[in-house]
Amino acid sequence: MSSQLEIQPRELKFHVELNKQSRCTVSLSNRTDQFIAFKVKTTSPKKYCVRPNVGVIQPKGVHEFMVIMQAMKTAPADMTCKDKFLVQSTIVPEGTMEEHITSELFSKDGVRYVEDIKMRVNLVIPPLPSPEPSPINGTLKQVDEHVESKAVENEDLKPVKDAEVARIQDVKVEPIKQVKVEPIQPVDLSVQSVESEFKKEIQPITRNNEEPKVIESRSSMSEEEQRLFKDVEEMKSKLHELELKLSKAEATVSNLTEERRLVIQERESLKQEMAFLRKKKVERRVQDGFPLLFVCMVALISLIAGYGFHP
């Protein structure tokens, strides 16, 4: 079965620029004579924004949607991107609006035909802007590379005024005798030489401008390091104090436990002494008194003796 939609482009290309969004427009063409509803999905919904992500395409009509990649804060380590997009499409009756499009409409339950088209993402580095040579009086003058490089080295790059251009035009260049004329090179090479010299002149300026920033960053880092060092020293002193207090508390607890153990031992010894004294007291009571049987025997013997001696 042929595809319902034609997608251009099939590969999304985004320019990688820090702190700047990148956009890519995709065109959907309806090849059928029926209304088609579509929905766009992605594997990284937090990284991309699709506007609109759903819609209805008329028969033989064209619909566009835009994919916006969020700004990157750091440069990617690898330019290969594994993110993918999926465009789902299905035939819908006439009069279907975007509000009627739901996720159940694209469910593959065997009743409705749903077409899936996958799209890849490609990260591209944007081309550097190259300076173009400006025409003078409608024509570009070719300059010898050797002479132009010397002029760039001897003189600073300054904007040319109209009066200076007029003076240059008024000057007549006389031919120099007995001089070997080298072949004139194209304008592009001369522009590259000027550009290289211009970059050489600009590089030290940018470095000089960056020096105060580096110094400021170093000073700020040194201040932060000093603050961190002070905080660490304070934390160390507090930890030392806490350790001393903890050691004192441990010594106090050990003394209290030792005193408690001694008190318990003294209590046990006192209990033993009390029990021993009670036993001795009972024994003394038994030894001091006479048993009742002994008293009775003595009384009986005394009675018998009394009757025997009585006349």
Side-chain angles (χ1 to χ4, degrees), residues 215-237:
I215 294 170
E216 290 178 359
S217 62
R218 287 178 180 175
S219 61
S220 61
M221 287 294 292
S222 62
E223 290 178 359
E224 291 180 357
E225 288 178 356
Q226 290 179 359
R227 292 177 183 176
L228 290 173
F229 182 74
K230 290 181 181 178
D231 294 338
V232 169
E233 291 296 329
E234 290 179 358
M235 291 294 292
K236 286 182 178 179
S237 61

Side-chain angles (χ1 to χ4, degrees), residues 73-110:
K73 295 183 180 180
T74 57
D78 191 1
M79 294 300 291
T80 57
C81 185
K82 297 182 180 179
D83 300 335
K84 293 181 180 180
F85 283 81
L86 178 66
V87 180
Q88 293 182 317
S89 60
T90 184
I91 298 173
V92 293
E94 184 179 356
T96 304
M97 305 296 292
E98 293 183 0
E99 293 80 8
H100 303 152
I101 300 174
T102 59
S103 58
E104 289 80 7
L105 188 65
F106 300 95
S107 61
K108 297 181 180 180
D109 52 2

